[in-house]
């Protein structure tokens, strides 16, 4: 029972690591050069502070996720992992929300503020950003699942007293 | 000991409730009419999807925070409150990040995307939005504190066995 559980958790953490890592890489490598009238410009993730935050946050969580994979199962640090999981889940939730809000303006524009959508000029860049956001979203969902499971386990007094 | 702790927690929850409620009200009532050349337009929170999300998320968390204040201290539901706290903290973290990302573009503009800053036209609206974001930020910080404290308490096996 405990072994199946541990393998499941490890598998989920592996998927979460893969998701955050690919979110980082896809977002960091997304760029496209477009010409608008006579001016050619390059769209990169560094253009938007929210996208930079997304890359940094996902990179940090990827490193954390990688390190946790190698934590021995009898380590006392697992108690700390619940708190760390929470802080890092909050970090990527925050980064994906910020990136999504800016991406929404990029895709749909905002008529009240007079901001034009930019996705028609750089469609490939937009597709890559969408992909990165989707990967990041998978990461967030898995971390949320792991967290709710941890809280459920820890809150169950029978399980706590058994260990 | 346990009583002081309970009063502290209740006080923190009261402040958090006040912070999220004022964030909701300040954001929802922020509007300014400005005239740009011959056209006059009104800036409202409904112009931006991210700000609408901020109002809805903070309103939900305010209602939740209000209800939790009246939970009897010996209720078994307190175990559920840790999980609910986490989900709702994530919700307001997400909403404040999205609103902050859009507000940053509104304040500073984005030269790569050709989005002009709008705060010069509607300075009072911008100030109110900043105030709402600050109140929301205080709410997030207090919920994060409560959550880390809950996890710390629950994770401490001595405390769990004592109750």
């Amino acid at each position: 029972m405990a072994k199946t559980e541990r393998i499941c958790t490890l598998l989920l953490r592996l998927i979460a690591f893969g998701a955050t890592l690919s979110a980082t890489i896809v977002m960091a490598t997304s760029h496209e050069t477009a010409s608008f009238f006579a001016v050619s410009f390059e769209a990169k993730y560094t253009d938007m502070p929210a996208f930079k935050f997304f890359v940094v946050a996902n990179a940090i969580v990827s490193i954390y996720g990688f390190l946790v994979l190698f934590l021995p199962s009898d380590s006392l640090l697992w108690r700390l992992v619940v708190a760390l999981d929470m802080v890092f889940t909050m970090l990527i939730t925050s980064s994906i929300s910020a990136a999504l809000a800016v991406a929404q303006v990029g895709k749909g524009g905002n008529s009240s503020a007079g901001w034009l959508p930019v996705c028609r000029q750089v469609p490939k860049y937009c597709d890559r950003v969408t992909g990165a956001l989707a990967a990041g979203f998978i990461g967030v969902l898995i971390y949320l699942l792991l967290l709710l499971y941890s809280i459920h386990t820890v809150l169950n007094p029978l399980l706590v007293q058994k260990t």
Side-chain angles (χ1 to χ4, degrees), chain A:
Chain A
M1 174 63 196
K3 206 173 178 185
T4 332
E5 192 189 299
R6 200 163 292 149
I7 290 169
C8 275
T9 318
L10 206 69
L11 205 69
L12 276 180
R13 283 191 183 274
L14 200 67
I15 300 170
F17 166 66
T20 51
L21 188 69
S22 42
T24 314
I25 293 171
V26 171
M27 183 63 100
T29 55
S30 63
H31 63 96
E32 188 179 4
T33 312
S35 49
F36 192 62
F37 294 108
V39 191
S40 94
F41 69 97
E42 195 186 14
K44 293 186 307 290
Y45 80 96
T46 44
D47 293 342
M48 302 279 174
F51 291 174
K52 273 198 267 185
F53 175 40
F54 182 83
V55 169
V56 172
N58 272 284
I60 292 171
V61 176
S62 298
I63 295 167
Y64 164 72
F66 184 71
L67 292 178
V68 167
L69 287 178
F70 295 100
L71 203 62
S73 58
D74 54 351
S75 171
L76 279 173
L77 283 173
W78 277 108
R79 293 187 172 276
L80 192 66
V81 163
V82 182
L84 284 178
D85 265 4
M86 205 200 66
V87 171
F88 285 118
T89 308
M90 225 135 248
L91 183 68
I92 45 170
T93 306
S94 163
S95 79
I96 202 170
S97 305
L100 203 62
V102 169
Q104 188 271 330
V105 176
K107 192 137 195 145
N110 190 291
S111 55
S112 319
W115 298 337
L116 295 170
V118 291
C119 275
R120 223 166 291 164
Q121 272 84 44
V122 281
K124 274 183 202 161
Y125 172 69
C126 273
D127 286 348
R128 284 193 78 107
V129 168
T130 311
L133 289 176
F137 196 66
I138 294 170
V140 167
L141 277 187
I142 294 174
Y143 271 112
L144 194 60
L145 204 70
L146 282 169
L147 209 46
L148 284 175
Y149 176 72
S150 300
I151 286 177
H152 169 79
T153 314
V154 162
L155 283 182
N156 196 332
L158 287 171
L159 276 171
V160 171
Q161 278 163 2
K162 234 189 270 172
T163 50

